[in-house]
């Protein structure tokens, strides 16, 4: 079985191919323009085809620098996601891949920057060589222009013995080009997953070198090293007639000395809009940083999970959204994303934070959740909150059937969703497009179930009271246990309630057979659009994507699975 799941994947491919196509068009079009443009004929005599390579890659570099900041403008993406008129169905799901697109554009910048740098090294060497004694004929004549009054130079390197590197560092283009290259190397190397996990502050600091990168890029072209013949000169100096009469340029009236000038810098025109947009993004973040966050409740759960209840003036959220949290007592630089676990109907917002790194471990310690007594309210560290921001899970209510799959702490996004379902079911006047929810939770530690079991129990009870037990089907899988737990389960077995969770639904031991699960769901909903929402590790994500492809029908009237992965 195949299907409309391909539409979502197809759109991703279309967007990537569109980006690649624009890059190729800009490169090829610019390349051939510089290869054929009459005003650069004499420049090509010195530089050859590396002129076109340098200029074509420069234009593509500008194009990608224009795009690079847009995918990380979280407020813009949240605004677009909330505008249902402009962003529906498969297009909305592309917004969840903003970071992937950001990385793709970064690779485009790296490739074009490399081409640009290499081409200009060849250009500088050819400029230098054309001043040597071996250079003869038209090449030598062009390089000597600018030595007398009323002449404009074409070759920026004026003497042969001059060291290329020394000459490079005497120009605006050379200095800014070096700064741009160093900044790009720092940003790219510190963005690897290893560096981000080992030292987030290093990643954060080096990533903010982008400010230096964009400033240098904006003024890079002011050096105007690459020069072409002016339009006035072209009207007086016919290249076809005069290029072979270079010895007569000083005396022949029909062939006056050609005049040259550099092109106006254009990089700033490409990046101005996105830079202003991103500056607004950071101003909004700074404004939110100044707003007071009141911590109303702190709960320490088993397995190193900290639950924080907070209030903030004007804070509004939707199920599945996330916030960025900063704790100045730990680091004034780091902002970490956490999914909201409260429902919009509650008068507070909450997050559940598991100790999974240096920063989160330090936060749990600061709140006294690491085996210590919880801190008094007045001694709690100050938190800053930015957001909320939209995420894939906000689309759960847009499908008639939704499958929610969580692995480990990845269950936190679904806490807000299940709470919201609980409230919506209580409000009889609220019509829901969503008619069925399948919830799967895979976890290796039995103690991790404790903090979430109360929510499931209250939801199970409420659904039973309202006669809507069919609305939610949940399946909990325990993948890790020892002999003591096995003995405990055997001794306390109860037909009516689960030993681990206290729920009516029994816990399964082991991992789900996804083929069987998807086959059963497809059989139960033969003509439905089914949203599959996942938060967890990459390996399982790939498996679920494969299941969505496999069990989506090729018939437009059949069942279709649409995959959505939670990402920050």
């Amino acid at each position: 079985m195949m299907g409309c799941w391909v539409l979502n994947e197809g759109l991703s491919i279309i967007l990537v191919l569109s980006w690649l196509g624009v890059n190729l068009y800009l490169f090829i079009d610019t390349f051939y323009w510089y290869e054929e443009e009459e005003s650069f004929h004499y420049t090509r005599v010195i530089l050859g085809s590396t002129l076109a390579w340098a200029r074509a890659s420069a234009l593509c570099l500008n194009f990608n620098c224009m795009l690079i900041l847009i995918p990380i403008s979280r407020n813009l993406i949240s605004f677009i996601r909330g505008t249902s008129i402009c962003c529906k169905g498969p297009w909305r799901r592309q917004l969840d891949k903003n970071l992937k697109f950001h990385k793709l554009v970064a690779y485009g910048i790296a490739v074009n920057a490399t081409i640009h740098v290499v081409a200009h090294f060849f250009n500088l060497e050819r400029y230098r060589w054309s001043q040597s004694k071996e250079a003869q004929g038209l090449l030598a004549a062009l390089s000597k222009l600018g030595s007398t009054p009323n002449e404009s130079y074409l070759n920026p390197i004026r003497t042969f013995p001059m060291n290329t590197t020394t000459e490079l560092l005497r120009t605006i283009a050379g200095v800014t080009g070096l700064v741009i290259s160093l900044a790009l190397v720092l940003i790219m190397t510190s963005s690897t997953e290893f560096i981000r996990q080992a030292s987030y502050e290093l990643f954060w600091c080096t990533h903010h070198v982008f400010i230096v990168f964009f400033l240098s890029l904006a003024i890079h072209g002011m050096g105007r090293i690459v020069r072409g013949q002016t339009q006035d000169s072209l009207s007086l100096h016919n290249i076809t007639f005069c290029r072979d009469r270079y010895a007569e340029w000083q005396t022949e009236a029909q062939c006056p000395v050609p005049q040259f000038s550099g092109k106006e810098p254009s990089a700033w025109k490409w990046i101005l809009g996105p830079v202003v947009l991103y500056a607004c993004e950071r101003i909004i973040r700074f404004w939110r940083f100044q707003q007071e966050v009141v911590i109303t409740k702190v709960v320490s759960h088993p397995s190193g999970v900290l639950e924080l209840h907070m209030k903030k003036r004007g804070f509004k959220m939707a199920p599945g959204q996330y916030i960025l949290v900063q704790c100045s007592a730990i680091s004034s630089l780091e902002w970490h994303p956490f999914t909201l676990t409260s429902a919009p109907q509650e008068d507070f917002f909450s997050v559940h934070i598991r100790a999974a790194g240096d920063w989160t471990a330090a936060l749990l310690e600061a709140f006294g959740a690491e085996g210590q007594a919880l801190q008094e309210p007045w001694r709690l560290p100050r938190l800053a909150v930015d957001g909320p921001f939209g995420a894939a899970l906000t689309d759960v209510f847009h499908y008639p059937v939704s499958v929610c799959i969580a692995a480990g702490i990845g269950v936190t996004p679904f806490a807000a969703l299940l709470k919201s379902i609980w409230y919506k079911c209580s409000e009889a006047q609220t019509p829901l497009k969503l008619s069925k929810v399948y919830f799967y939770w895979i976890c290796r530690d039995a103690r991790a179930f404790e903090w979430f079991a109360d929510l499931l129990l209250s939801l199970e009870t409420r659904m039973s009271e309202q006669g809507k037990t069919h609305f939610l089907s949940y399946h909990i899988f325990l993948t890790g246990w020892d002999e003591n737990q096995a003995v405990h389960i055997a001794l306390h077995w109860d037909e009516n309630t689960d030993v681990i969770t206290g729920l009516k639904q029994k816990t399964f031991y082991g991992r789900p057979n996804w083929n069987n699960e998807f086959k059963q769901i497809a059989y139960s909903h033969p003509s439905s659009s089914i949203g599959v929402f996942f938060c967890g590790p990459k390996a399982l994500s790939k498996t679920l994507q494969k299941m969505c492809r496999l069990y989506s029908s090729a018939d437009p009237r059949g069942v279709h699975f649409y995959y959505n992965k939670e990402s920050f």
Side-chain angles (χ1 to χ4, degrees), residues 219-519:
I219 62 176
H220 180 62
M222 292 180 181
R224 303 188 185 187
I225 284 184
V226 176
R227 298 163 69 83
Q229 195 172 351
T230 65
Q231 291 301 313
D232 291 340
S233 178
L234 281 171
S235 64
L236 299 172
H237 180 103
N238 186 289
I239 292 175
T240 305
F241 178 77
C242 299
R243 63 187 175 189
D244 296 325
R245 292 175 171 81
Y246 55 86
E248 303 170 8
W249 284 355
Q250 300 286 352
T251 58
E252 179 65 51
Q254 291 181 322
C255 294
V257 176
Q259 301 296 315
F260 301 93
S261 66
K263 286 195 68 176
E264 289 284 337
S266 60
W268 68 271
K269 299 176 184 178
W270 289 85
I271 64 175
L272 180 62
V275 166
V276 170
L277 177 69
Y278 189 74
C280 294
E281 181 87 10
R282 298 309 294 260
I283 290 170
I284 292 172
R285 175 177 292 189
F286 180 76
W287 173 67
R288 286 175 173 165
F289 172 77
Q290 300 299 319
Q291 293 179 308
E292 183 183 8
V293 176
V294 179
I295 301 171
T296 59
K297 187 177 181 181
V298 179
V299 181
S300 179
H301 293 286
S303 299
V305 175
L306 176 69
E307 180 180 355
L308 297 177
H309 290 206
M310 294 167 279
K311 288 186 177 182
K312 184 179 178 181
R313 180 176 296 178
F315 188 90
K316 295 180 180 179
M317 59 163 288
Q321 289 188 312
Y322 68 95
I323 58 174
L324 294 173
V325 177
Q326 185 237 46
C327 181
S328 300
I330 301 173
S331 171
S332 58
L333 302 179
E334 297 188 39
W335 291 80
H336 291 261
F338 296 99
T339 307
L340 292 164
T341 54
S342 53
Q345 293 85 350
E346 294 174 308
D347 63 351
F348 63 89
F349 62 95
S350 65
V351 292
H352 285 69
I353 301 171
R354 180 171 64 94
D358 293 341
W359 189 89
T360 48
L363 186 71
L364 265 66
E365 184 178 352
F367 278 88
E370 287 291 305
Q372 308 169 22
L374 292 175
Q375 298 282 10
E376 296 293 330
W378 59 273
R379 297 184 63 184
L380 294 175
R382 179 184 181 274
L383 297 182
V385 170
D386 187 19
F389 302 106
L393 200 60
T394 56
D395 294 337
V396 164
F397 293 100
H398 296 165
Y399 295 93
V401 180
S402 288
V403 180
C404 302
I405 303 168
I409 196 63
V411 75
T412 53
F414 300 104
L417 170 69
L418 294 176
K419 286 182 182 179
S420 188
I421 290 173
W422 187 89
Y423 281 106
K424 286 180 182 291
C425 288
S426 301
E427 301 167 0
Q429 71 277 14
T430 305
L432 277 179
K433 181 179 181 180
L434 182 65
S435 60
K436 180 68 176 179
V437 176
Y438 293 90
F439 176 65
Y440 294 84
W441 187 15
I442 304 101
C443 193
R444 68 176 61 182
D445 188 351
R447 293 180 301 164
F449 292 123
E450 295 177 20
W451 74 268
F452 200 68
D454 290 341
L455 172 61
L456 288 175
L457 183 60
S458 63
L459 189 63
E460 184 181 68
T461 304
R462 174 66 66 172
M463 293 296 180
S464 178
E465 291 174 354
Q466 297 187 354
K468 296 182 179 180
T469 52
H470 66 282
F471 187 87
L472 174 66
S473 295
Y474 57 90
H475 309 271
I476 300 175
F477 292 82
L478 180 63
T479 59
W481 65 90
D482 55 27
E483 291 184 7
N484 292 332
Q485 289 173 323
V487 171
H488 175 78
I489 292 167
L491 292 176
H492 297 84
W493 176 261
D494 191 314
E495 290 289 339
N496 298 318
T497 58
D498 185 70
V499 177
I500 296 176
T501 63
L503 300 169
K504 294 180 181 179
Q505 174 68 50
K506 299 295 185 181
T507 297
F508 298 94
Y509 300 95
R511 300 184 184 277
N513 184 322
W514 292 116
N515 273 301
N516 291 343
E517 298 297 335
F518 273 80
K519 186 184 296 183

